Amino acid sequence: MSLWLQQTGMSRVDAVTTATMSSFVVHLCAALWVFAVASTRRAWLGIVLSTALLAALTWLARAGAGGAA
């Protein structure tokens, strides 16, 4: 997320801070999801699919940044 925010013109420090604070919301939603579903299979499915989505977005952000890490 910080890579994407930097591409939109946000300073590096602000982008990293915003991405870090946003990660707490992602972790909270993951914890709520796991305890809210009725089965372990559904919990794993939700976590795996959201992880795949975030990984794809990270890959796209790196590709847009010219491969810079």
Side-chain angles (χ1 to χ4, degrees), residues 29-31 33-34 42-52:
C29 290
W33 169 258
V34 167
R42 201 171 212 181
W44 272 110
L45 184 63
I47 296 298
V48 168
L49 290 178
S50 61
T51 301

